[in-house]
Amino acid sequence: MNDLAPLLTPEGRALLDAVRGTAPADELAVATRLRREHPAGLVSAALGQARLRQRAAAKFGAADAERMFFTPNGVEQSTRASVAGYRAGRMKALGVTSVADLCCGIGGDAIALARAGIRVLAVDRDPLTVQAARANADALGLADLVEVREADVTDVDTSGYDAVFVDPARRGGRGRVFDPEAYSPPLSWAVGAALAAPRAALKIAPGVPHEAIPAEAEAEWISDGGDVKEAVLWFGTGEAGAVRATLLPGPRTLLGGGLPDPAVRPVGRYLYEPDGAVIRAHLVADVARDLDGGLIDETIAYVTADALRATPYAAAYEITDQLPFNVKKLKALLREREVGILTVKKRGSAVEPEELRKKALPRPQGPNSVTVFLTRVAGAPTMLLGAPA
């Protein structure tokens, strides 16, 4: 698929309606029937678009995805609507009324910004991606607020906009790109564009080294439903150097206090597993302080405490057993306690959870459930057994 134009015609739109919701097993029969009255290429394109819309529903919701147009890379790389909506809300709260969205992709972020009432210039250099972004703005009734332009973002004058948003490509011919200077465009260029604007946000990979974050930026890590989705460098917020973790839905935001690493202490009654955004933002110490807890190992992001306290930033487990790593002992214990459901989590262990599950619980032993943590305690390989608190 290298041209969306045929799908935007009345015939193409009618075909999209006809193939909506087609199951993979039914595609051949549907294609055979439709090719009697429509060009084979157009039928194939419609079925391909239907598959992409089904995949995109997880990010955009079924109501929007069924009206939008996608490319394979666009579905894979676009921002989840909940995250884009949160970011657009922050822009709105900062007083932004216009944004230059550079490397706009299929327009997911432009859509969220426009829905927040912000005027958007959406720029991308890929012709097919630009077609999709323009079609999506039109399909969702946002064409009056979104101008889509095919251009190299490095050639675009952004001086007439309140803010710049840059989402550099982080994939190359060999997959994900981890060096920020290998982004397209490089992070250094994006930072320069951000510093030239009154306000800016740069979307980057959540695994970015903290030392690569410029001093002028506020850094925010965002998770959605417990999954870390991205990091954002904000400029012009008045909080240069700040670090925060934001959890969606909510949002709930933890602002870092620059605390030293927590002390290591013996395992208490409760174990807390911090949200991934908290860990990526290096804010485990802030969570440990609020829980009056410490670390089980200086290299492991598990917090332990003697009391159960409510926190949105970590999942709590009540620990019943602490054992040296030993599969036979674990198997015997699970049999003794009539365990039928075993959840395995790991941090700081080379053992694969599924491998341990098969060896320790080859068949259910009863109605009970247990969570086992494969980790290190004060440097020693350890199994911690418990259940969600």
Side-chain angles (χ1 to χ4, degrees):
M1 183 178 66
N2 54 19
D3 186 10
L4 289 174
L7 291 175
L8 301 176
T9 64
E11 183 182 14
R13 292 179 185 276
L15 272 174
L16 287 171
D17 289 339
V19 301
R20 179 182 293 133
T22 299
D26 298 330
E27 282 190 2
L28 180 58
V30 170
T32 301
R33 174 173 55 82
L34 291 175
R35 283 171 181 164
R36 296 171 188 152
E37 300 179 5
H38 303 279
L42 185 58
V43 172
S44 295
L47 285 167
Q49 192 61 223
R51 286 195 298 272
L52 293 175
R53 286 176 167 182
Q54 290 169 5
R55 287 172 51 196
K59 283 189 174 183
F60 291 91
D64 279 353
E66 286 182 357
R67 294 185 288 166
M68 293 173 66
F69 293 84
F70 299 97
T71 66
N73 286 340
V75 173
E76 182 72 23
Q77 299 175 20
S78 57
T79 305
R80 184 182 290 262
S82 55
V83 179
Y86 162 74
R87 203 186 315 104
R90 276 205 73 182
M91 286 273 196
K92 185 74 171 180
L94 289 168
V96 172
T97 62
S98 61
V99 173
D101 178 3
L102 308 181
C103 308
C104 69
I106 62 167
D109 288 287
I111 288 166
L113 290 163
R115 282 178 166 167
I118 297 171
R119 180 171 57 87
V120 185
L121 169 65
V123 183
D124 204 286
R125 66 182 180 184
D126 179 68
L128 181 60
T129 299
V130 167
Q131 271 190 315
R134 188 174 289 121
N136 289 335
D138 183 63
L140 299 179
L142 300 169
D144 290 344
L145 282 171
V146 181
E147 175 194 348
V148 183
R149 186 183 303 174
E150 181 184 336
D152 189 313
V153 296
T154 61
D155 296 331
V156 175
D157 179 10
T158 63
S159 59
Y161 294 85
D162 295 342
V164 167
F165 173 68
V166 189
D167 182 5
R170 293 179 297 281
R171 288 182 180 272
R174 297 182 178 179
R176 291 185 183 274
V177 172
F178 297 98
D179 178 6
E181 284 307 296
Y183 292 174
S184 180
L187 181 59
S188 57
W189 179 89
V191 170
L195 293 173
R199 291 183 175 83
L202 311 182
K203 178 181 170 181
I204 57 176
V208 66
H210 279 230
E211 56 269 22
I213 297 172
E216 301 91 340
E218 168 202 333
E220 179 178 32
W221 278 260
I222 302 173
S223 68
D224 187 13
D227 296 328
V228 183
K229 294 301 178 183
E230 63 181 55
V232 186
L233 303 184
W234 292 91
F235 297 80
T237 64
E239 297 188 71
V243 176
R244 66 177 70 219
T246 295
L247 282 56
L248 302 176
R252 298 178 182 270
T253 295
L254 178 65
L255 182 62
L259 302 178
D261 290 340
V264 175
R265 52 150 288 177
V267 176
R269 182 175 177 181
Y270 296 98
L271 186 75
Y272 293 86
E273 182 181 26
D275 184 271
V278 171
I279 296 173
R280 293 286 195 176
H282 296 180
L283 299 183
V284 174
D286 298 80
V287 172
R289 175 199 59 190
D290 294 343
L291 297 172
D292 192 23
L295 298 180
I296 63 172
D297 184 280
E298 63 181 5
T299 65
I300 304 296
Y302 283 138
V303 175
T304 187
D306 297 318
L308 179 62
R309 296 186 181 180
T311 174
Y313 303 112
Y317 295 82
E318 185 171 9
I319 299 303
T320 57
D321 300 87
Q322 177 178 341
L323 306 170
F325 180 80
N326 187 303
V327 177
K328 289 185 178 179
K329 286 185 178 180
L330 177 62
K331 186 176 182 179
L333 188 60
L334 297 177
R335 184 171 58 250
E336 175 188 326
R337 296 189 181 172
E338 299 181 336
V339 171
I341 301 174
L342 178 63
T343 301
V344 182
K345 293 175 171 285
K346 74 165 190 170
R347 187 162 290 159
S349 172
V351 178
E352 289 301 324
E354 188 57 36
E355 176 186 347
L356 178 70
R357 190 180 294 108
K358 289 178 180 178
K359 291 180 178 179
L361 193 67
R363 66 185 65 85
Q365 300 296 322
N368 301 318
S369 61
V370 164
T371 299
V372 60
F373 294 86
L374 304 178
T375 187
R376 292 194 303 272
V377 173
T382 303
M383 299 183 299
L384 300 175
L385 278 66

